[in-house]
Amino acid sequence: EAGVAQSPRYKIIEKRQSVAFWCNPISGHATLYWYQQILGQGPKLLIQFQNNGVVDDSQLPKDRFSAERLKGVDSTLKIQPAKLEDSAVYLCASSLVGQLNTEAFFGQGTRLTVV
Amino acid sequence: GENVEQHPSTLSVQEGDSAVIKCTYSDSASNYFPWYKQELGKGPQLIIDIRSNVGEKKDQRIAVTLNKTAKHFSLHITETQPEDSAVYFCAAVLSGGYQKVTFGTGTKLQVIP
């Protein structure tokens, strides 16, 4: 079974530039998560989709971050404009829906460095 | 919202010794507690989990205990091996209309050969 795919693996941009990350979840997984993991910290949820609808975006900095999940499959996360404090690993995860306590499968992440 | 605290932040053990990582959570409605292992350059991977109706679960060298009254849960690794070296995260999950997952801050485990 193919895992969660993310691209790019690494990205270096200057502050105030924009950047986009892509995620392809495991086939059949209706729930998709985007996490931000700052060095030395645990993953922090940015946004959670169930199919193509948003169920939680309470911690997403909406003035600069946006995400979409077209057709309930792939998802993109965008930052515009980027700030130095956005330097982190951005993790995408997916899980089944309709069952209690389902495992979330993570991609390898995209390491963003803002200079 | 849920708050998960994890201790210690770093842990060094000799190969063959045991390692224990502890977490506390704040929301008594959380009902699922997974543990993830994250190796360098990789995403977190589930290693064991426990549901709120169970007090203890074991899988070979790994065990997890849950005390709902005290709202804390622990990961126990016995007979540690160098390949156990990684960052470990606990999480508390609240299941309602959708799953809400809150992670701890992580423990960097180093197993010294």
Side-chain angles (χ1 to χ4, degrees):
Chain A
E1 172 181 84
V4 176
Q6 288 188 248
S7 68
R9 285 296 312 277
Y10 307 93
K11 190 74 177 179
I12 301 174
I13 62 172
E14 295 182 349
K15 59 184 180 183
R16 292 186 290 275
Q17 285 187 325
S18 62
V19 64
F21 312 128
W22 174 81
C23 174
N24 180 233
I26 292 173
S27 177
H29 282 195
T31 302
L32 186 147
Y33 314 77
W34 281 105
Y35 287 91
Q36 179 192 59
Q37 187 176 23
I38 293 173
L39 187 65
Q41 299 182 19
K44 183 185 90 170
L45 181 69
L46 292 175
I47 190 167
Q48 181 175 344
F49 293 92
Q50 196 153 297
N51 295 305
N52 60 345
V54 176
V55 296
D56 189 346
D57 63 356
S58 56
Q59 298 192 88
L60 186 73
K62 297 179 184 65
D63 58 334
R64 298 184 301 105
F65 286 65
S66 65
E68 61 181 9
R69 190 182 185 196
L70 299 176
K71 299 181 182 179
V73 183
D74 292 6
S75 177
T76 55
L77 176 69
K78 296 179 181 178
I79 307 175
Q80 182 179 11
K83 292 184 176 181
L84 296 177
E85 58 261 37
D86 298 333
S87 294
V89 174
Y90 291 83
L91 295 165
C92 178
S94 69
S95 67
L96 292 167
V97 73
Q99 303 176 26
L100 288 177
N101 310 149
T102 57
E103 176 183 354
F105 293 83
F106 284 82
Q108 289 188 297
T110 296
R111 181 176 296 278
L112 173 67
T113 303
V114 182
V115 298
Chain B
E2 176 65 277
N3 182 49
V4 178
E5 295 189 356
Q6 183 172 346
H7 301 280
S9 57
T10 60
L11 180 60
S12 290
V13 300
Q14 290 292 136
E15 182 178 357
D17 287 351
S18 295
V20 180
I21 302 170
K22 299 181 179 181
C23 289
T24 61
Y25 61 100
S26 60
D27 192 336
S28 57
S30 290
N31 57 4
Y32 173 56
F33 305 91
W35 285 89
Y36 286 85
K37 177 182 181 182
Q38 187 173 28
E39 297 176 328
L40 199 62
K42 298 183 178 180
Q45 184 173 13
L46 181 76
I47 56 171
I48 195 167
D49 55 15
I50 191 166
R51 287 159 175 71
S52 59
N53 58 347
V54 175
E56 184 173 356
K57 182 177 178 181
K58 189 174 181 180
D59 182 5
Q60 298 183 353
R61 297 185 298 108
I62 295 173
V64 58
T65 59
L66 171 66
N67 183 328
K68 286 193 300 181
T69 303
K71 288 188 282 188
H72 68 70
F73 55 114
S74 300
L75 177 71
H76 304 253
I77 306 174
T78 58
E79 301 172 27
T80 54
Q81 301 169 3
E83 51 265 38
D84 294 330
S85 296
V87 179
Y88 291 82
F89 292 98
C90 62
V93 181
L94 184 62
S95 298
Y98 62 93
Q99 285 195 143
K100 189 171 179 66
V101 184
T102 304
F103 282 87
T105 49
T107 296
K108 185 175 182 179
L109 173 64
Q110 181 184 19
V111 180
I112 303 166

